[in-house]
Amino acid sequence: MGLIPREVKFFDLLEQQSNTVVRGAKLLQECLESKGSIDDMYLASKRIHDVEHEGDELVHRLMDRLNKSFITPLDREDIHELTSRLDDVLDYVDAVAKRLVTFKISTPTHHAVELGRIIVRGAEETAVGIALLRDLSKSDAIIRQCAKINQLENDADQVMRDALNDLFNGGAKDPLEVIKWKDIYEHLELATDKCEDVANIIESVLVKYS
Amino acid sequence: MGLIPREVKFFDLLEQQSNTVVRGAKLLQECLESKGSIDDMYLASKRIHDVEHEGDELVHRLMDRLNKSFITPLDREDIHELTSRLDDVLDYVDAVAKRLVTFKISTPTHHAVELGRIIVRGAEETAVGIALLRDLSKSDAIIRQCAKINQLENDADQVMRDALNDLFNGGAKDPLEVIKWKDIYEHLELATDKCEDVANIIESVLVKYS
Amino acid sequence: MGLIPREVKFFDLLEQQSNTVVRGAKLLQECLESKGSIDDMYLASKRIHDVEHEGDELVHRLMDRLNKSFITPLDREDIHELTSRLDDVLDYVDAVAKRLVTFKISTPTHHAVELGRIIVRGAEETAVGIALLRDLSKSDAIIRQCAKINQLENDADQVMRDALNDLFNGGAKDPLEVIKWKDIYEHLELATDKCEDVANIIESVLVKYS
């Protein structure tokens, strides 16, 4: 009933939420790697949507708890910002899956597969970053973790450029196909950008309390 | 001359600003629903631009007042953030109107009309959210209000997907038309995203002061 | 060894960083104005990337210093936010240069040249804004400086519209060329948006401490 268990609870909820992001990213990765039918893609997108919904529930529980707790382990607005930005990552993962269905894409390019893998790693490293917030005295480890997430975003930029290179310089292409793929790549890249946003807040929290 | 009237003034200005957002959104909606000529579209975009300019004036008055007041009802940086993000919504409304003119679109699709309606509702619900900031003790009402605004953003996502589905799967299309419409839809969707950003700050203010 | 030199150091680092943004923007401008070969464009993009890397080093030094200093001239999270957003400007400058290479563009349009000039001015005015943070008592000068940066963003919007007008209404065009140019213009415009984000934080810092 004391203060400590209540504080721990916030970190538990943030970790559960970052876990939904990892699960969503892995489902998207399966989607991208499977060479299934459009129907399989549709079913997979439904499963991602369910995980996204689970993530939303955790955001609401966190918000509710924030409004009812006197003591929080970090400033309330920082916890709110972390949960909002984690939610953004999962929203983009969900958006990519839905676009794959809308664009009737059954066999993603190897660039899309590579971006999907980077998103999974981004989600995993972000989850580690969130877990590190429990002990802000480990500032070196936190900074290194955020640098890792930023590096993944750079990796995604590089893959994005390779993908655009293939798309525009790989011989005659149907313009509508180019539009679709550019859109898919941009949404995949945005998911890694959003991981970087979370890393940015983790850093901001670190400097604020250091 | 006391502190209380001065505090109230900040809320007055924020409400006036959110009112310009509602008016801009309604003018855009008229634009989208009218089946007029390009000239009508151009005149309507000029009127939206005037409202956007009015909104800018309110931002400057708020900024000026922030720099001259000792006491503010919320932290200065929160008021600044609210006025900046409200301004973003109106900027996107203005941007859509200008794109309709640039792209010489006289008869918007029903998806565009539907997105326009969601923006009007988003602007109206955001204005209600801003008004609720006067009494942060009504936390349940504020949370519900923000959830409403978030829901509208989800609705816009769904319409966006339907619109893309029609655009890409509705038979042979001129690629340039596809590019134009995708751009219009994206800007319409961004206006609802920006309403969600305002809701996010309202929530953040709420948790900070609760 | 006292507190004051250490405080000054933060402003020094921020000014050095804003200087890398100016240099990156100028290199991009040279790129856009030269009518060279793709190879020249590639070499220029490498030089921009080196400046971007220099900027990253300054971000890391600032972060490191933030974590080791007891006293900072502004709140730590504000310094962190300023360095992060300045970094964004340079990232977009770098991204444009890389896109020019990927899209094999050797002779940029006059709209791209004009946007490049606005980015240089945006970077320069942003650097002035950063320098003004040393003395927050000059609030009128700071507000005017931020208004200048915002105005440049409006100018960029106008050029963007002219560019889109030419792109879509200037006679039959290859859709792939339209997609490429629209993407280039959007990235150029985003660089000015990011300058506006920095101005927004400068204003926010000003109101917070006034």
Side-chain angles (χ1 to χ4, degrees):
Chain A
M1 293 287 296
L3 299 176
I4 294 158
R6 219 179 321 180
E7 290 196 9
V8 167
K9 205 70 184 161
F10 280 105
F11 289 122
D12 287 350
L13 285 168
L14 283 172
E15 288 183 14
Q16 282 175 43
Q17 194 192 352
S18 65
N19 184 264
T20 59
V21 180
V22 173
R23 280 162 50 214
K26 284 186 174 171
L27 285 170
L28 177 63
Q29 183 57 1
E30 281 177 31
C31 245
L32 291 165
E33 289 191 347
S34 80
K35 286 162 170 46
S37 61
I38 303 277
D39 286 348
D40 290 343
M41 197 64 98
Y42 179 74
L43 290 175
S45 83
K46 285 284 166 201
R47 285 164 65 205
I48 292 172
H49 189 71
D50 289 344
V51 174
E52 196 267 337
H53 192 71
E54 225 179 285
D56 280 349
E57 287 302 311
L58 287 164
V59 174
H60 296 147
R61 279 175 59 194
L62 253 160
M63 276 298 297
D64 189 56
R65 193 170 285 267
L66 270 181
N67 279 299
K68 290 182 179 147
S69 302
F70 278 106
I71 309 278
T72 54
L74 305 172
D75 279 353
R76 289 152 194 287
E77 59 269 35
D78 294 325
I79 299 175
H80 177 257
E81 191 76 2
L82 282 166
T83 189
S84 301
R85 294 294 82 74
L86 274 174
D87 192 46
D88 285 347
V89 182
L90 196 46
D91 277 353
Y92 274 99
V93 165
D94 185 38
V96 172
K98 282 171 176 156
R99 293 284 168 115
L100 291 170
V101 173
T102 301
F103 293 157
K104 301 195 188 303
I105 289 170
S106 56
T107 48
T109 64
H110 69 98
H111 300 298
V113 171
E114 212 170 329
L115 285 169
R117 274 180 209 149
I118 293 174
I119 293 171
V120 170
R121 284 198 51 210
E124 286 172 343
E125 300 298 356
T126 301
V128 173
I130 291 287
L132 285 171
L133 283 173
R134 286 186 194 257
D135 184 358
L136 290 172
S137 72
K138 293 179 182 158
S139 67
D140 285 349
I142 295 174
I143 289 173
R144 253 182 287 124
Q145 190 61 26
C146 291
K148 234 186 240 182
I149 299 165
N150 293 348
Q151 183 52 47
L152 287 169
E153 200 272 330
N154 288 344
D155 294 350
D157 277 355
Q158 183 56 53
V159 177
M160 176 75 175
R161 273 194 296 279
D162 294 343
L164 290 179
N165 191 49
D166 271 16
L167 209 50
F168 286 92
N169 305 317
K173 286 263 185 16
D174 173 3
L176 292 190
E177 286 303 304
V178 171
I179 297 170
K180 284 181 197 178
W181 278 107
K182 186 165 177 287
D183 187 83
I184 295 281
Y185 292 142
E186 281 166 354
H187 278 79
L188 284 163
E189 199 197 14
L190 277 166
T192 66
D193 283 354
K194 295 297 160 181
C195 288
E196 200 182 19
D197 285 353
V198 177
N200 210 41
I201 300 161
I202 292 173
E203 274 186 358
S204 175
V205 165
L206 177 70
V207 298
K208 188 170 171 184
Y209 293 85
S210 71
Chain B
M1 294 286 296
L3 297 177
I4 293 158
R6 219 179 321 179
E7 290 197 8
V8 167
K9 206 70 184 162
F10 280 106
F11 288 123
D12 287 350
L13 284 168
L14 283 172
E15 287 183 15
Q16 281 174 43
Q17 193 192 352
S18 64
N19 184 264
T20 60
V21 180
V22 172
R23 279 162 50 214
K26 283 185 174 171
L27 284 170
L28 177 63
Q29 182 57 3
E30 282 177 30
C31 246
L32 291 165
E33 289 190 347
S34 80
K35 286 164 173 42
S37 63
I38 304 277
D39 286 349
D40 290 341
M41 197 65 98
Y42 179 74
L43 290 174
S45 82
K46 285 282 166 203
R47 286 163 66 203
I48 292 172
H49 189 70
D50 289 344
V51 173
E52 196 268 337
H53 192 71
E54 225 180 284
D56 280 349
E57 286 303 312
L58 287 165
V59 174
H60 296 147
R61 280 175 60 194
L62 252 161
M63 276 298 297
D64 189 56
R65 194 168 283 268
L66 270 181
N67 280 299
K68 290 183 178 146
S69 303
F70 279 106
I71 308 277
T72 53
L74 304 172
D75 279 353
R76 289 151 193 288
E77 60 269 35
D78 293 327
I79 299 174
H80 178 257
E81 190 76 3
L82 283 166
T83 189
S84 302
R85 293 296 78 76
L86 274 174
D87 193 46
D88 286 347
V89 182
L90 196 46
D91 277 353
Y92 274 99
V93 165
D94 185 39
V96 173
K98 282 169 175 157
R99 293 285 168 114
L100 291 170
V101 173
T102 301
F103 292 157
K104 301 194 189 303
I105 288 169
S106 56
T107 48
T109 64
H110 69 97
H111 299 298
V113 171
E114 211 170 330
L115 286 169
R117 273 181 209 148
I118 293 174
I119 292 170
V120 171
R121 285 198 51 211
E124 286 172 341
E125 300 297 356
T126 300
V128 172
I130 292 287
L132 285 171
L133 283 172
R134 287 185 193 258
D135 183 357
L136 290 172
S137 71
K138 292 179 183 159
S139 67
D140 285 349
I142 295 174
I143 290 173
R144 252 182 287 123
Q145 190 61 27
C146 292
K148 237 186 237 182
I149 299 165
N150 293 348
Q151 182 53 47
L152 287 169
E153 199 272 330
N154 288 345
D155 294 351
D157 277 355
Q158 182 57 51
V159 176
M160 175 76 175
R161 274 194 296 278
D162 294 343
L164 290 179
N165 191 50
D166 270 17
L167 209 50
F168 285 92
N169 305 318
K173 287 263 185 14
D174 173 2
L176 292 189
E177 288 302 305
V178 170
I179 297 170
K180 284 182 196 177
W181 278 107
K182 186 164 177 286
D183 187 84
I184 295 282
Y185 293 140
E186 281 165 354
H187 278 80
L188 285 163
E189 199 197 14
L190 278 166
T192 65
D193 283 353
K194 295 298 161 181
C195 288
E196 198 181 20
D197 285 353
V198 177
N200 210 40
I201 300 160
I202 293 173
E203 274 186 358
S204 175
V205 166
L206 177 70
V207 297
K208 188 171 171 182
Y209 293 87
S210 69
Chain C
M1 294 287 294
L3 298 177
I4 294 157
R6 218 178 323 178
E7 290 196 9
V8 168
K9 208 68 185 163
F10 279 106
F11 288 122
D12 288 349
L13 285 168
L14 282 172
E15 286 183 15
Q16 283 174 44
Q17 194 192 351
S18 64
N19 185 264
T20 59
V21 180
V22 172
R23 280 162 51 214
K26 283 185 174 171
L27 285 170
L28 177 62
Q29 181 57 2
E30 282 177 31
C31 243
L32 291 166
E33 289 190 348
S34 79
K35 284 161 173 45
S37 62
I38 304 277
D39 286 349
D40 291 342
M41 197 64 98
Y42 179 75
L43 290 174
S45 82
K46 285 284 166 201
R47 286 163 66 205
I48 293 171
H49 189 71
D50 289 344
V51 174
E52 195 267 337
H53 192 71
E54 226 180 281
D56 280 349
E57 286 304 310
L58 288 164
V59 174
H60 296 147
R61 279 176 60 195
L62 252 161
M63 276 298 297
D64 189 54
R65 194 170 283 269
L66 270 182
N67 280 299
K68 289 182 179 147
S69 302
F70 278 107
I71 309 278
T72 53
L74 304 172
D75 279 353
R76 290 151 193 286
E77 60 269 33
D78 293 326
I79 299 174
H80 178 258
E81 190 77 1
L82 282 166
T83 190
S84 301
R85 294 294 80 76
L86 274 174
D87 193 48
D88 287 346
V89 182
L90 196 46
D91 277 352
Y92 275 99
V93 165
D94 186 39
V96 172
K98 282 172 176 156
R99 293 286 168 115
L100 291 169
V101 173
T102 301
F103 293 156
K104 301 193 189 303
I105 288 169
S106 56
T107 48
T109 63
H110 69 96
H111 300 299
V113 171
E114 211 171 330
L115 286 169
R117 274 181 208 148
I118 293 174
I119 292 170
V120 171
R121 287 198 50 211
E124 286 172 342
E125 300 298 356
T126 300
V128 173
I130 292 286
L132 285 171
L133 283 173
R134 285 186 194 258
D135 183 358
L136 290 173
S137 72
K138 293 178 182 160
S139 67
D140 285 349
I142 295 175
I143 289 174
R144 253 182 287 124
Q145 191 59 28
C146 291
K148 235 186 239 181
I149 299 165
N150 292 348
Q151 182 53 46
L152 287 168
E153 199 272 331
N154 288 344
D155 293 351
D157 277 355
Q158 181 57 52
V159 177
M160 176 75 175
R161 273 193 297 278
D162 293 344
L164 290 179
N165 191 49
D166 271 17
L167 209 50
F168 286 93
N169 305 317
K173 288 263 185 13
D174 173 2
L176 291 191
E177 287 303 305
V178 171
I179 297 170
K180 284 182 196 177
W181 278 106
K182 187 165 177 286
D183 187 83
I184 295 282
Y185 293 141
E186 281 166 353
H187 278 80
L188 285 163
E189 199 197 15
L190 278 167
T192 66
D193 283 353
K194 296 297 160 181
C195 289
E196 199 181 21
D197 285 353
V198 177
N200 210 41
I201 300 161
I202 293 174
E203 273 187 359
S204 174
V205 166
L206 177 70
V207 299
K208 188 170 170 182
Y209 292 86
S210 69

